[in-house]
């Protein structure tokens, strides 16, 4: 989605554009729990994940039990280009990403990955998700420590061998650089704009799929 069209959607909530969107979003896929997912005793940890437009990924994880907070932002490029208008051409190196603060005693890192690839993003797509195309919309795992990297590596191998998808998994594991918080109007976008055309077509179904596939993982009320 181009910068101009994304802004139009954000401001007007329109559902029809000259761009021809795919007939439907990628279907949800119920995945197994991670077989390598060691317990972490800390009450607070951070995960950085990318899965296309950050509006929907933020909205999904705000509904996961054990998540404390979620914020949308940019990862992969420099501070100078961590601005929405400078990332839409795909040349900044940034991916639209989310930073999740969570309680590992309630939800594990492996479970966050399970949710991401079950309902949030298709790991077989390179540099695109849904109607959005470009490196800024790539799905990616960004481990914050060695343990998260081990879990991520093992889980990608696990779901790849399980043949849950018709195509090979291509999602990368990226080294953490810096996470830059996105502009204020991107934060809590789904919660603040439930009737937005883009949200209703592409992102609300992700939250609905989360509730349908993993009801025990769903919070009573969304996290901030």
């Amino acid at each position: 989605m181009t910068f101009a069209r994304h802004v139009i959607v954000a401001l007007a909530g329109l559902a029809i554009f000259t761009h021809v969107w795919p007939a439907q979003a990628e279907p949800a896929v119920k995945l197994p729990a991670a077989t390598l997912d060691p317990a972490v005793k800390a009450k607070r940890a951070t995960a950085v994940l990318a899965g296309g437009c950050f509006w929907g990924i933020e909205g999904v994880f705000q509904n996961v039990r054990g998540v404390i907070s979620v914020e949308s932002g940019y990862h992969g490029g420099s501070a100078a280009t961590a601005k929405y208008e400078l990332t839409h051409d795909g040349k900044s190196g940034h991916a639209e990403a989310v930073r999740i603060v969570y309680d590992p005693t309630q939800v594990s890192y492996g479970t966050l990955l399970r949710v991401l690839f079950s309902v949030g993003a298709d790991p077989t797509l390179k540099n695109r998700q849904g109607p959005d195309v470009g490196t800024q919309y790539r799905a990616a795992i960004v481990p914050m420590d060695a343990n998260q990297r081990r879990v991520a590596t093992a889980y990608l191998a696990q779901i790849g061998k399980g043949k849950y998808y018709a195509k090979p998994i291509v999602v990368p594991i990226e080294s953490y650089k810096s996470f830059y918080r996105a502009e204020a109007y991107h934060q809590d976008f789904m919660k603040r704009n439930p009737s937005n055309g883009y949200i209703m077509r592409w992102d609300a179904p992700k939250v609905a799929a989360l509730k349908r596939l993993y009801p025990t993982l769903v919070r009573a009320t969304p996290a901030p």
Side-chain angles (χ1 to χ4, degrees), residues 20-40:
V20 178
W21 284 350
Q24 61 183 12
E26 290 77 19
V29 178
K30 189 167 186 178
L31 296 173
T35 54
L36 176 63
D37 198 15
V40 176

Side-chain angles (χ1 to χ4, degrees), residues 1 20 54 92 95 124 137 141 158 182 187 206 217:
M1 180 178 288
V20 178
F54 42 29
S92 69
T124 71
Y137 296 117
I141 304 172
Q158 178 185 345
Q187 307 302 326
K206 296 178 181 181
L217 296 180

